[in-house]
């Protein structure tokens, strides 16, 4: 029987949610037995597959690149999971929202730089005016709260999804 497919994606986040994913430790082997991990920063695949059953998305939507990626991911994913508080509320990346793009770029690339100051015009993706939660841009099916979500919550939620249940994340903030 074909296994369901699982992807994980890293947008504007600190990778802490992916660290928590790795903290599932030996339970990762069980997940890998039950689902094919087809796209992730943890594996060497460059293109998002045409159809993915479950995708965990870490981070806010902050750049043109993030926006393009999340629209493609949504179009090619059956169940999209906002993975952690940056994906759910924009959390830490949203701290730049009240500052505005130009003062932010000036500070980072001109005022705080001693060697070759200059705002990049290529390679670094252009910032959107605001860092946004994922569900501001596309429909989200499941929300896994936490900064980061605990390994236990990630594991239980994946098991629920793989067994056809909607994860119950009530109480997630209280160490469940
Ligand atoms: Fe990092 Fe917390 Fe954001 Fe996850 S939710 S990417 S751990 S800041």
């Amino acid at each position: 029987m074909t296994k369901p497919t699982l992807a994980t994606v890293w947008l504007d986040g600190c990778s802490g949610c992916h660290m928590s994913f790795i903290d599932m430790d030996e339970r990762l082997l069980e997940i890998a037995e039950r689902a094919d991990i087809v796209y992730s920063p943890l594996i060497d695949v460059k293109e998002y597959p045409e159809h993915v059953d479950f995708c965990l998305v870490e981070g806010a939507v902050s750049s043109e690149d993030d926006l393009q990626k999340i629209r493609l991911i949504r179009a090619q994913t059956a169940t999209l999971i906002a993975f952690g508080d940056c994906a759910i509320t924009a959390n830490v990346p949203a701290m730049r929202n009240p500052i505005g793009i130009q003062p932010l770029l000036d500070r980072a690339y001109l005022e705080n730089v001693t060697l070759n100051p200059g705002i990049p015009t290529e390679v670094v993706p252009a910032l959107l005016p605001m860092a946004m939660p994922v569900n501001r841009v596309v429909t989200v099916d499941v929300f896994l709260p936490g900064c980061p979500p605990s390994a236990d919550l990630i594991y239980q939620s994946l098991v629920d999804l793989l067994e056809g249940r909607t994860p119950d994340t009530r109480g997630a903030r209280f160490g469940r």
Side-chain angles (χ1 to χ4, degrees), residues 3-9 21 24 28 31-32 34-40 43 48-49 51-57 77 79 81 154 158 161-162:
K3 289 196 258 182
T5 50
L6 173 65
T8 78
V9 170
F21 183 87
M24 283 194 288
L28 265 175
I31 296 298
R34 300 176 71 169
D36 281 329
I37 301 177
V38 289
Y39 182 91
S40 171
I43 63 170
Y48 195 81
H51 175 83
V52 173
D53 292 309
F54 304 104
C55 179
L56 295 165
V57 179
T77 305
T79 302
I81 301 129
I154 299 167
L158 287 175
L161 288 165
L162 292 168

Side-chain angles (χ1 to χ4, degrees), residues 13-14 16-17 58 84-86 91-92 146-148:
C14 73
C17 292
E58 170 188 321
D85 288 350
C86 290
N91 196 27
V92 176
C147 180

Side-chain angles (χ1 to χ4, degrees), residues 57-113:
V57 179
E58 170 188 321
V61 181
S62 292
S63 68
E64 296 288 352
D65 194 49
D66 295 338
L67 188 58
Q68 221 177 338
K69 259 191 215 157
I70 197 65
R71 285 180 173 151
L72 178 129
I73 288 162
R74 176 66 279 182
Q76 296 180 190
T77 305
T79 302
L80 192 149
I81 301 129
F83 180 30
D85 288 350
C86 290
I88 296 173
T89 68
N91 196 27
V92 176
M95 290 171 76
R96 61 102 160 164
N97 289 352
I99 298 170
I101 293 181
Q102 200 54 50
L104 190 79
L105 293 176
D106 289 349
R107 186 73 176 157
Y109 290 105
L110 302 177
E111 296 163 17
N112 276 356
V113 178

